[in-house]
Amino acid sequence: MTTVQPDHFYMKRALSLASRGKGKTSPNPMVGAVIVNQGRVVGEAYHRQAGQAHAEVLALHQAGPRARGGVLYVTLEPCCHLQKRTPPCVPLLVQSGLTRVCVAMADPNPQVAGRGIQALQNAKIDVSVGTLEAEAQTLNEIYIHWLTTGRPFLILKGAMTLDGKIATHTGQSQWITSEQARQDVHHVRSQVDAVMVGIGTVLADNPELSARGSKINATQRRGRQPVRVVLDSQLRIPMKAKILRWVQEQPTIVCTTAGVSPKKIDTLREQGVQVWVLPQKKQRVSLKAALAKLAKEGLSSVLLEGGSTLNASALHERVVNQVRLYVAPKILGGQDAKGLIGGTSPKSLKQAWHLVNPTFKKLGPDWLVTATIDRQA
């Protein structure tokens, strides 16, 4: 009979708690904490939202004096810096009387990066690092990517037929997939920081790009909504586009290039729309420049809901981290129908983009295929 190690048992509990913060803590990581004293859990918590108390602090408050002599299991290295909205956790942990802290992974944030662990050790607290580290890294892969690359974690989303078509040759695409698949898209939108499209999608479909089920009335919303981002090199966006609505509750950023109408930029800004004038690449807004600026603004994840041209650009520029494909049991056919990835085909199969760790989920009549881009291929 296999015996579960106590450290693994309690860390798994901390990771489960941390996952409850998914889609709510950005740009902060998801963190869970469990305090155990004499084999009993005396405090546990997770980070609920950026700007609110950290998991360790909440767990300490729950434990109270029972924390003294106990062990803290935490999914990420406790913070020790002051460059944030909440006080550092390390001093509170030191004062609590804990005898040991078990950390799943060190924090890649340069302001922490081992300093929290060292501060605890300097206070004569026993610290161990690495329990369920791989699981902790997977949980916070978006946070890690954002910090280490200076770009948001980019998810390429597509709704397509079984033969890879996203629209007929006339541009009709609504609706290839089922209501269940569309509900899942709305759920994903509510968890990412931003949704990005190209101007072609705005002109063809006039999307709102909101997370469904959030309206209170005609002018108000509730719930978490993603920032909407439009790549529009010539500033062709119509002033009555749905994506320009609700900008107080759900900000819209239009990324354009130098040389467009200053008057239209002013008109958009007067309506509360953010307009970024960015460098261009091949007469289009530089995708990498847009992503870098989004990252600097604290947006760590982006759902790309573009057409075939933007999808191809993202793949060619190697900025896609994950694909999320909704596949309908339909065959459209025709070389003139629009495929998921535009542009020209590679000359060799060796140049294909390789996917790893695929998962498959049934959504009504459709399938959701999720996979990671293989960076080594």
Side-chain angles (χ1 to χ4, degrees):
M1 182 176 180
T2 303
T3 302
V4 178
Q5 296 294 325
D7 284 358
H8 284 208
F9 175 82
Y10 293 118
M11 189 62 77
K12 190 172 182 179
R13 185 163 178 165
L15 286 165
S16 178
L17 286 167
S19 67
R20 297 182 188 179
K22 187 174 183 180
K24 303 171 186 175
T25 64
S26 180
N28 290 357
M30 291 175 276
V31 181
V34 175
I35 299 175
V36 179
N37 201 332
Q38 296 183 346
R40 294 183 60 188
V41 174
V42 295
E44 60 180 18
Y46 66 97
H47 184 42
R48 295 174 179 271
Q49 186 175 326
Q52 294 187 8
H54 287 191
E56 305 95 308
V57 175
L58 293 172
L60 281 175
H61 285 170
Q62 189 181 104
R66 294 175 297 173
R68 184 164 298 277
V71 179
L72 168 68
Y73 295 89
V74 63
T75 58
L76 187 73
E77 175 183 3
C79 62
C80 55
H81 63 96
L82 302 173
Q83 304 301 314
K84 54 191 179 66
R85 288 174 283 182
T86 54
C89 296
V90 168
L92 293 174
L93 297 178
V94 172
Q95 295 166 16
S96 69
L98 291 165
T99 58
R100 179 170 173 251
V101 175
C102 182
V103 180
M105 62 171 283
D107 192 340
N109 187 336
Q111 294 178 311
V112 186
R115 294 184 180 89
I117 293 169
Q118 187 62 55
L120 291 170
Q121 291 174 331
N122 291 344
K124 308 303 181 185
I125 294 175
D126 180 27
V127 181
S128 61
V129 183
T131 300
L132 300 186
E133 182 177 31
E135 290 87 339
Q137 291 173 341
T138 298
L139 178 72
N140 276 310
E141 63 178 344
I142 290 175
Y143 170 75
I144 295 169
H145 176 82
W146 171 65
L147 273 177
T148 56
T149 67
R151 290 198 312 271
F153 188 92
L154 187 68
I155 305 165
L156 190 158
K157 168 258 173 182
M160 64 186 197
T161 61
L162 197 59
D163 56 339
K165 307 299 183 181
I166 62 172
T168 66
H169 78 281
T170 62
Q172 184 183 3
S173 61
Q174 298 178 343
W175 300 102
I176 285 177
T177 51
S178 65
E179 175 63 24
Q180 293 93 324
R182 296 197 293 277
Q183 286 178 355
D184 190 77
V185 172
H186 283 279
H187 175 67
V188 175
R189 285 179 183 171
S190 72
Q191 293 189 326
V192 296
D193 292 339
V195 176
M196 176 182 285
V197 295
I199 186 60
T201 297
V202 174
L203 296 175
D205 300 335
N206 193 23
E208 189 177 293
L209 298 184
S210 62
R212 188 183 295 167
S214 58
K215 294 180 182 178
I216 299 175
N217 55 44
T219 59
Q220 288 182 292
R221 294 187 167 192
R222 66 174 144 214
R224 189 177 189 273
Q225 292 288 338
V227 173
R228 299 170 293 191
V229 183
V230 184
L231 303 184
D232 184 5
S233 59
Q234 299 177 40
L235 210 57
R236 293 185 290 155
I237 190 166
M239 294 306 300
K240 293 185 178 181
K242 291 180 181 179
I243 204 170
L244 301 182
R245 300 175 183 174
W246 314 89
V247 293
Q248 299 303 319
E249 294 84 359
Q250 187 181 5
T252 294
I253 300 169
V254 177
C255 301
T256 191
T257 58
V260 299
S261 168
K263 184 177 180 181
K264 189 165 185 180
I265 289 178
D266 291 341
T267 302
L268 286 166
R269 287 174 173 167
E270 286 170 4
Q271 292 192 10
V273 178
Q274 298 179 52
V275 181
W276 294 353
V277 180
L278 299 174
Q280 59 178 291
K281 182 175 181 179
K282 296 182 180 179
Q283 299 182 323
R284 291 191 175 95
V285 175
S286 167
L287 183 54
K288 284 187 176 180
L291 291 172
K293 186 163 177 58
L294 288 170
K296 287 181 180 179
E297 294 294 320
L299 301 174
S300 62
S301 58
V302 173
L303 183 66
L304 184 66
E305 296 197 37
S308 60
T309 299
L310 183 52
N311 290 343
S313 296
L315 284 167
H316 282 295
E317 298 212 24
R318 300 179 67 82
V319 295
V320 178
N321 298 95
Q322 185 184 90
V323 296
R324 191 175 185 90
L325 306 179
Y326 298 85
V327 185
K330 303 172 184 177
I331 294 177
L332 190 56
Q335 292 184 350
D336 54 352
K338 296 185 179 180
L340 178 69
I341 310 299
T344 57
S345 172
K347 294 180 180 179
S348 166
L349 286 173
K350 292 180 180 179
Q351 296 174 290
W353 292 280
H354 294 266
L355 305 178
V356 294
N357 303 321
T359 62
F360 303 85
K361 180 180 180 181
K362 198 80 166 66
L363 294 171
D366 306 322
W367 284 94
L368 167 61
V369 182
T370 306
T372 301
I373 296 289
D374 186 358
R375 298 294 180 188
Q376 306 303 318

